[in-house]
Amino acid sequence: MPRSIYVYLLALFFLIGSILFLSSFFLNSTTSKFEKQNSEIIFEANNISINLDFKESDLRLNLKSSMVNSLKEEKNLYVYQPRINLEGKEISMLFTSNKGKIAYGINTIHLEDNIKINGIANTKKIEGRAGPVEINLDKRKLFSDKINLFIEEYEISFNEITFEEEEMIFKGNPIYLKDKDGLKTNTSLIKLKSNGELIFPNKMNIE
């Protein structure tokens, strides 16, 4: 059964006899407040935890943030110091950044500024950094201008991850690969299978 992003406000907030309700989200918060700035009503909550699902996948995503706010008539939640835990059958990864945005109208998460990645994926330890990141929950993909990961003896620089049931697919234009001996090659696609095997194309271009 297809699943999409769902976040509902658990706490009910009263503002001039109204209840603020954000459909399609499930949001826990410890404190909240409303302010009026420049004729726009702003929702703000501290120390929140949001649970999200990838479409047609067993992957689960939990986002924790020190603060979240949203402008009236926007379908965005702005998060600060977010920590994203991505969990699945063979995946346990953590993404951190200084700030980000949940665009719940289009089921995407955007991370900016000092993005770090670490964890385990298909039995392999993964750690690295990335430029601004977009996570598309409908397409089960992660995009960035530059993702730099260390997996075993390899340093891999690429632009996109697709989360499939039995594998992760790395794509780039091109993907740059450097091994422990300093040999640099490039290609367009690398797969990380569920058993931990890294699959490279038969033909690799030497830098």
Side-chain angles (χ1 to χ4, degrees):
M1 181 177 180
R3 293 182 295 173
S4 60
I5 188 171
Y6 291 103
V7 181
Y8 303 92
L9 278 168
L10 284 185
L12 299 178
F13 303 100
F14 291 89
L15 176 65
I16 315 176
S18 298
I19 298 174
L20 176 64
F21 177 76
L22 299 178
S23 61
S24 300
F25 280 87
F26 187 14
L27 184 152
N28 299 322
S29 64
T30 59
T31 63
S32 62
K33 63 181 179 179
F34 293 96
E35 298 179 358
K36 192 170 184 178
Q37 299 179 356
N38 300 324
S39 301
E40 291 291 332
I41 297 174
I42 296 179
F43 163 73
E44 186 173 293
N46 297 324
N47 302 320
I48 62 97
S49 178
I50 301 173
N51 296 313
L52 312 173
D53 286 331
F54 281 73
K55 186 175 182 180
E56 298 180 348
S57 172
D58 66 350
L59 286 173
R60 300 172 305 280
L61 187 151
N62 174 264
L63 185 151
K64 294 182 179 179
S65 176
S66 62
M67 184 176 72
V68 60
N69 59 42
S70 180
L71 297 176
K72 185 181 179 182
E73 297 180 356
E74 278 196 12
K75 291 186 176 181
N76 297 321
L77 290 176
Y78 297 93
V79 293
Y80 300 88
Q81 296 180 326
R83 294 174 59 86
I84 294 178
N85 285 286
L86 180 63
E87 300 285 345
K89 184 179 178 182
E90 302 290 344
I91 295 175
S92 179
M93 297 175 66
L94 173 67
F95 300 81
T96 61
S97 72
N98 289 341
K99 60 182 179 178
K101 177 179 70 175
I102 303 173
Y104 57 88
I106 54 175
N107 287 354
T108 62
I109 298 171
H110 302 263
L111 298 177
E112 301 177 31
D113 193 18
N114 195 28
I115 299 166
K116 298 178 182 179
I117 305 169
N118 62 74
I120 302 293
N122 297 346
T123 76
K124 301 297 184 184
K125 182 179 179 181
I126 289 179
E127 60 180 77
R129 292 179 174 269
V133 164
E134 175 186 315
I135 302 173
N136 188 305
L137 300 180
D138 287 343
K139 295 181 179 180
R140 305 191 302 279
K141 291 186 177 183
L142 185 152
F143 305 91
S144 178
D145 289 340
K146 184 175 182 180
I147 305 169
N148 196 69
L149 293 184
F150 291 89
I151 305 176
E152 290 188 327
E153 70 267 30
Y154 299 105
E155 179 181 352
I156 307 174
S157 299
F158 56 102
N159 307 109
E160 177 184 321
I161 302 175
T162 301
F163 298 96
E164 299 290 355
E165 185 174 349
E166 297 296 330
E167 62 189 12
M168 290 171 60
I169 302 173
F170 306 128
K171 295 181 181 179
N173 189 25
I175 296 175
Y176 293 100
L177 184 75
K178 183 168 70 174
D179 67 16
K180 62 182 180 180
D181 297 320
L183 179 64
K184 296 181 180 179
T185 56
N186 70 70
T187 184
S188 59
L189 184 145
I190 295 173
K191 295 182 179 181
L192 177 58
K193 306 295 286 185
S194 59
N195 62 1
E197 182 182 6
L198 277 168
I199 304 295
F200 302 102
N202 292 330
K203 182 178 179 181
M204 301 280 285
N205 302 311
I206 299 177
E207 290 284 298

